[in-house]
Amino acid sequence: MGSISVACYKPRPGCEDALLTLVRNHLSPLRALCLITDRPPIVMRTSDGTIVEVFEWVSQEAIDAAHHNPTVQLLWKHFEDVCTYEVPSNIAEFQKMFSHFEPMNLHSKP
């Protein structure tokens, strides 16, 4: 059974374009490693510029495997260079009963 993940990436100053490039391209390697499903991701932006991405891991075992995979570790290092990871409950939009975000079309269909 899959596991839906909500990831929140707040760009470091001056790193917005680099972050968008990473978000646009990081699912392909995860998919090639059979760690995530073919479910299309949802990517959106908050009012403060944080990128929120919703995607599906294949399983909890796939998530665990990602934490030991050198390709994934390098990918996550690139993310850490250009953003900080935010907790969804710290995002202003998630404080509302019905949250609204700017939609982003960064991913094409797999």
Side-chain angles (χ1 to χ4, degrees), residues 9-11 16 19 44-52 93:
Y9 316 112
K10 185 170 189 165
E16 294 85 1
L19 176 58
M44 52 204 144
R45 187 181 349 239
T46 68
S47 59
D48 75 354
T50 299
I51 304 299
V52 178
E93 284 82 352

Side-chain angles (χ1 to χ4, degrees), residues 20 28 35 41 43 56 63 76-78 95 103 105-106 110:
L20 291 177
S28 292
L35 297 174
V43 182
E56 184 179 20
I63 297 169
W76 289 348
K77 168 71 173 92
H78 292 309
Q95 304 306 309
N105 296 317
L106 297 180

Side-chain angles (χ1 to χ4, degrees), residues 12-71:
R12 295 185 188 280
C15 295
E16 294 85 1
D17 290 341
L19 176 58
L20 291 177
T21 297
L22 277 171
V23 172
R24 183 177 290 111
N25 297 311
H26 80 112
L27 295 182
S28 292
L30 296 177
R31 199 168 282 119
L33 292 165
C34 299
L35 297 174
I36 64 169
T37 70
D38 288 336
R39 181 186 302 269
I42 297 172
V43 182
M44 52 204 144
R45 187 181 349 239
T46 68
S47 59
D48 75 354
T50 299
I51 304 299
V52 178
E53 181 179 44
V54 180
F55 63 96
E56 184 179 20
W57 292 94
V58 169
S59 64
Q60 182 60 51
E61 292 78 17
I63 297 169
D64 296 340
H67 287 274
H68 301 287
N69 184 293
T71 300

